[in-house]
Amino acid sequence: MLFRSGIAALVMPFFFIAHIYEQLKGQEDNGYSLAYRNMLMISSLFYALMGLLLLYHILNFFFNSNLSLLGILVIFMGTNLFWFTLRQAGMAHVPLFFLYSLLIYLTLLVYNKPRSYLFILMGFTAGFITLIRPTDIICLLIPLLYNVYNKKTLNDKLIFLKNNLKGVIYFAITFIIPLIPQMLYWKKFAGSYIYYSYGKETFNWLHPKILDGLFSFGNGWLIYSPVMVFSILGFLLYKRLKPVALTLFILVPVYVYIIYRWYCYNYINGLGSRPMIHLYPLLAI
């Protein structure tokens, strides 16, 4: 499997702290000592806390401070986010939780008060999500569908995009930027700008395992994070959450369809389906 750069880039600052520490101590700076492992754990905790902080501000757009605080506590303490933050650090899921939180928060800011730098940050964030997990390119539905829930709001969205065309261009450019180094790497070592790095591991598009992925005792999502049943029931309250209703009703089913078409639909470990962690910032609403 050829190297994929997304998580490496996010963990790199913590790696270099450990690297400098080992060098100052005159220890073997080989990337495998306790200092490196500790910094990897700290990186996971950092991205989890940053994601939760952003999620608190996201929830504050819709609810009061007390409910927002309760929301982030439930997401952290009641789901497998807790496990991947404090026990199984180093995988993509906690950083992606942070990046999804950031993307949603930037989306709210952009539609509240459009600014060029917000479009740039939003595009870069979406690009980084796609770099880490290419199937998560559907995260683009978050800014695209936000605040669209009837014909009038659809027309308003088109006008918004037209009036902020420069920002949309900035978004497109910065979306591509994180992908370029990876594509150049693949071209050099695999001979192609687009390379499937999972070998024979693939998706089974004709035979989904959605019910097993959600409810199986063999690592099913809702069996091990049952509190998230309330996030599903929350779909019934879509009339109170119109700005995100269409995003929820389209992105979540499509995402569930994709992740449970994977050949290893139970995702082996982590107390429930780990890819669902990426959507927690959206499901928390």
Side-chain angles (χ1 to χ4, degrees):
M1 183 183 293
L2 289 180
F3 171 72
R4 288 168 61 185
S5 60
I7 293 301
L10 290 176
V11 175
M12 183 169 58
F14 301 90
F15 173 89
F16 280 125
I17 292 172
H19 199 63
I20 293 170
Y21 173 80
E22 292 289 57
Q23 288 182 338
L24 291 174
K25 287 186 62 180
Q27 301 295 325
E28 189 174 5
D29 51 351
N30 59 7
Y32 294 98
S33 70
L34 181 61
Y36 293 99
R37 295 197 296 270
N38 286 340
M39 288 309 299
L40 183 65
M41 294 294 295
I42 290 173
S43 74
S44 179
L45 183 60
F46 172 80
Y47 286 118
L49 292 176
M50 291 299 294
L52 290 168
L53 178 62
L54 289 167
L55 179 54
Y56 173 80
H57 289 294
I58 291 167
L59 294 177
N60 256 341
F61 272 84
F62 303 97
F63 312 105
N64 62 45
S65 297
N66 290 335
L67 282 177
S68 300
L69 181 59
L70 177 62
I72 65 170
L73 289 175
V74 168
I75 289 294
F76 183 63
M77 300 296 293
T79 72
N80 49 352
L81 175 62
F82 184 88
W83 170 269
F84 282 99
T85 299
L86 299 178
R87 179 63 179 173
Q88 199 172 339
M91 300 190 74
H93 312 295
V94 174
L96 280 169
F97 168 78
F98 159 70
L99 289 172
Y100 267 87
S101 294
L102 181 58
L103 180 62
I104 295 169
Y105 183 62
L106 289 170
T107 298
L108 296 175
L109 294 181
V110 162
Y111 284 101
N112 185 51
K113 196 171 185 180
R115 290 290 185 270
S116 294
Y117 77 92
L118 293 174
F119 281 99
I120 291 171
L121 290 174
M122 192 164 58
F124 193 81
T125 302
F128 230 95
I129 290 172
T130 305
L131 171 64
I132 294 172
R133 198 176 179 91
T135 52
D136 280 35
I137 192 173
I138 63 172
C139 71
L140 293 173
L141 293 176
I142 292 172
L144 185 64
L145 298 180
Y146 176 72
N147 209 30
V148 175
Y149 49 89
N150 57 30
K151 186 175 180 179
K152 179 184 181 303
T153 53
L154 175 59
N155 187 59
D156 290 342
K157 172 60 70 70
L158 295 175
I159 293 172
F160 176 86
L161 295 175
K162 181 180 178 181
N163 291 340
N164 294 277
L165 184 59
K166 184 170 69 172
V168 174
I169 294 172
Y170 289 156
F171 178 96
I173 293 172
T174 53
F175 174 82
I176 295 170
I177 287 175
L179 306 177
I180 293 175
Q182 181 70 74
M183 296 173 70
L184 293 175
Y185 173 86
W186 279 337
K187 179 63 177 177
K188 179 175 177 62
F189 292 101
S192 173
Y193 288 110
I194 304 295
Y195 176 77
Y196 186 73
S197 60
Y198 279 89
K200 295 181 180 180
E201 299 175 356
T202 187
F203 292 90
N204 187 346
W205 297 108
L206 297 179
H207 299 92
K209 296 288 185 178
I210 295 174
L211 291 179
D212 288 336
L214 293 175
F215 301 109
S216 169
F217 285 97
N219 215 37
W221 177 48
L222 293 175
I223 294 297
Y224 290 92
S225 295
V227 72
M228 295 309 290
V229 168
F230 293 104
S231 70
I232 305 302
L233 294 176
F235 279 51
L236 300 175
L237 304 176
Y238 70 94
K239 290 183 179 180
R240 294 179 56 189
L241 301 168
K242 287 182 179 180
V244 295
L246 189 61
T247 309
L248 286 165
F249 277 102
I250 294 181
L251 190 149
V252 174
V254 170
Y255 189 88
V256 167
Y257 172 84
I258 291 173
I259 67 170
Y260 293 126
R261 295 285 185 165
W262 184 240
Y263 85 102
C264 185
Y265 62 88
N266 66 351
Y267 292 91
I268 304 173
N269 56 20
L271 305 178
S273 301
R274 38 194 168 93
M276 289 303 294
I277 292 173
H278 315 167
L279 289 193
Y280 287 172
L282 187 60
L283 292 171
I285 300 173

